[in-house]
């Protein structure tokens, strides 16, 4: 029960995950603000020996999630007469994102992203979504905190009874990353597309 409303376990699990992601995003903003007050407000010189960056993160609510929600809602409407015989439940286990970026300078980068999302719909139908996307992004900020925006495009595959390819894309409309050590960055971002509306993770500069 939440505020007097009885919720099923899937809804409650989704609310808990969203709260965790929002907490991570808020913590990143807080750490970044603290870093800004403790450093010089000038851009650090670009280190040409550390062009490469590896990253890994976890996100929630992707374009696939929205599609499943819409499909489930339409199914509920179209099959209302037999609704008691149809299982409309779905489990979304979130999105795992891994990739690598190459920085041309302190402001422009390009890279590759791969996402994996596993879902169970209608109670017993399992679907695995996998994507491989090229990314182009820009960043700006200071030596310990950066803001960034990026666009991704590539190919995706939905695997259930058979593999079905589709066009995969993503827009990172706002990302923020904080550097606690020389090589490690902690990031949180908001997306529209395959990587999840909210995503958080780490980046390692090589």
């Amino acid at each position: 029960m939440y505020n007097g409303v009885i919720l099923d376990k899937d809804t409650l699990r989704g609310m808990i995950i969203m709260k965790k992601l929002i907490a991570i995003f808020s913590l990143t903003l807080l750490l970044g603000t603290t870093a800004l007050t403790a450093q010089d407000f000038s851009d650090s010189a670009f280190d040409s020996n550390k062009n490469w960056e590896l990253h890994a993160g976890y996100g929630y609510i992707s374009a696939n999630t929205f599609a499943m929600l819409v499909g489930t809602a339409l199914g509920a409407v179209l099959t209302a007469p037999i609704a008691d015989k149809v299982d409309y439940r779905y489990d979304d286990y979130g999105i795992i994102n891994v990739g690598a970026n190459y920085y041309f300078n302190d402001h422009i980068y390009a890279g590759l992203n791969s996402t994996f999302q596993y879902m169970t719909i209608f109670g017993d139908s399992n679907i695995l979504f996998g994507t491989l996307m090229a990314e182009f992004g820009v960043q700006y900020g200071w030596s310990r905190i950066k803001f960034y925006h990026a666009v991704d495009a590539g190919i995706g595959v939905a695997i259930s009874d058979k593999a079905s390819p589709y066009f995969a894309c993503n827009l990172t409309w706002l990302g923020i990353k904080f550097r606690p050590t020389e090589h490690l960055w902690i990031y949180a971002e908001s997306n529209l597309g395959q990587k999840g509306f909210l995503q958080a993770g780490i980046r390692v500069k090589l």
Side-chain angles (χ1 to χ4, degrees):
M1 180 175 290
Y2 180 79
N3 289 341
V5 179
I6 299 176
L7 302 175
D8 59 45
K9 64 177 182 179
D10 296 329
T11 302
L12 287 173
R13 182 167 60 246
M15 292 175 64
I16 292 172
I17 293 175
M18 282 298 297
K19 287 180 178 180
K20 289 181 179 179
L21 288 172
I22 292 172
I24 293 172
F25 193 86
S26 301
L27 179 61
T28 304
L29 288 175
L30 178 61
L31 291 173
T33 302
T34 303
L36 282 177
T37 61
Q39 67 166 342
D40 184 279
F41 281 75
S42 60
D43 281 327
S44 60
F46 176 68
D47 188 347
S48 59
N49 295 319
K50 298 178 182 178
N51 299 76
W52 287 98
E53 174 186 81
L54 302 179
H55 60 84
Y58 175 82
Y60 200 68
I61 308 182
S62 72
N64 302 322
T65 307
F66 280 113
M68 292 299 103
L69 288 173
V70 172
T72 301
L74 289 175
V77 172
L78 297 176
T79 61
I82 57 170
D84 59 332
K85 301 179 182 179
V86 180
D87 189 348
Y88 295 111
R89 293 176 304 166
Y90 79 95
D91 289 304
D92 184 355
Y93 300 97
I95 306 102
I96 295 175
N97 175 224
V98 294
N101 295 325
Y102 180 85
Y103 286 79
F104 299 98
N105 53 49
D106 198 37
H107 301 287
I108 300 175
Y109 68 90
L112 286 175
N113 269 311
S114 187
T115 65
F116 304 91
Q117 181 179 12
Y118 181 77
M119 300 180 68
T120 300
I121 61 173
F122 301 120
D124 59 358
S125 297
N126 302 316
I127 303 179
L128 174 64
F129 296 94
T131 70
L132 181 62
M133 300 179 291
E135 177 171 306
F136 178 80
V138 296
Q139 69 172 15
Y140 51 92
W142 300 273
S143 61
R144 289 188 177 273
I145 187 170
K146 302 284 187 182
F147 298 93
Y148 60 93
H149 316 278
V151 292
D152 297 69
I155 187 170
V157 178
I159 303 174
S160 184
D161 295 331
K162 62 179 181 178
S164 302
Y166 64 93
F167 174 71
C169 60
N170 187 83
L171 170 65
T172 303
W173 67 274
L174 177 61
I176 180 172
K177 59 182 184 177
F178 164 68
R179 187 177 71 178
T181 69
E182 181 180 0
H183 298 281
L184 178 67
W185 293 82
I186 300 172
Y187 76 90
E189 62 187 38
S190 184
N191 303 279
L192 296 174
Q194 298 294 315
K195 294 168 66 176
F197 179 70
L198 286 178
Q199 184 185 133
I202 60 173
R203 296 170 179 256
V204 179
K205 211 67 179 292
L206 303 179

